[in-house]
Amino acid sequence: MYAPDRAQDLRWIQRAIDLAALCPPATGAYSVGAVIVGEDGTELASGYSRATGPRDHAEEVALAQLPKDDPRLAGATIYSTLEPCSQRSASRTPCAQRILAAGIPRVVIAWREPTLFVDDCVGYEQLVEAGVTVLELPELMAAAKAVNAHLGRLA
C-alpha cells in the first residue's frame, strides 16, 4: 500500500483543492476535488464535482477513469477535499461505497462533511469499519472550505 509521508499527503490534497476550484459552483452542492494515487506515488486519475455531469461527485468522476478491476487500486490512496458521501438519491451509489467496491485501502480528506445537505454523513465511519485507513488533514480544511464560498458559511 502507498504510504507517503505527511508532505506528500499535503501535496496531493492541495492538488485535489486545485481541482475543486474548477467545479462549476452549484447552490445545492459542494465543490470537491479528488485524486487517486497509485502505490508507486503516481497519479492514476483525478476529478472534480460536476466535471462530467451536474450530479457527478469528484470521487465518482475519478473512479470512472479507471477499469473497475484495475489492480493498481488495491494499493492506491484516494485524496478528496471532503469526506466521501454516505448517502445519495436512490439512483446514485454513495462515494464511500464506490471506494469500498474499488478496493482502495487508504483515503485522505481535508474535512468532514458538515450538516448543510446531509444531517449525518458517515462516509468516514463506513470506510474505517470496512478496514480502510482514513486520514484527515485539518491544516488544509480552510482551503477546502474556501472553494465552497458559494454556499455561504460552512460549519
Side-chain angles (χ1 to χ4, degrees):
M1 178 173 62
Y2 179 56
D5 61 22
R6 193 157 186 86
Q8 289 298 309
D9 282 338
L10 291 169
R11 180 175 76 87
W12 287 114
I13 280 286
Q14 185 58 59
R15 164 103 170 98
I17 291 168
D18 293 345
L19 288 166
L22 300 175
C23 295
T27 56
Y30 295 105
S31 291
V32 178
V35 182
I36 301 171
V37 177
E39 195 167 11
D40 63 356
T42 60
E43 183 174 319
L44 302 178
S46 63
Y48 56 88
S49 302
R50 299 174 294 289
T52 54
R55 297 174 59 207
D56 294 345
H57 288 194
E59 301 93 335
E60 177 180 17
V61 171
L63 284 165
Q65 295 170 21
L66 299 168
K68 292 188 186 317
D69 59 351
D70 190 321
R72 299 174 297 174
L73 293 171
T77 296
I78 187 166
Y79 293 87
S80 181
T81 58
L82 185 67
E83 171 182 14
C85 66
S86 60
Q87 57 184 324
R88 291 180 79 175
S89 65
S91 64
R92 308 291 283 215
T93 302
C95 292
Q97 293 303 312
R98 289 175 187 273
I99 291 167
L100 291 173
I104 296 174
R106 186 169 185 267
V107 176
V108 179
I109 62 171
W111 61 309
R112 301 282 298 265
E113 184 172 336
T115 59
L116 186 61
F117 302 118
V118 175
D119 288 334
D120 190 24
C121 180
V122 292
Y124 185 104
E125 290 81 2
Q126 287 176 349
L127 292 166
V128 169
E129 287 171 14
V132 173
T133 300
V134 183
L135 176 64
E136 186 175 355
L137 299 177
E139 57 266 52
L140 287 179
M141 180 179 9
K145 283 184 177 182
V147 177
N148 287 281
H150 65 281
L151 297 174
R153 186 175 173 192
L154 295 170

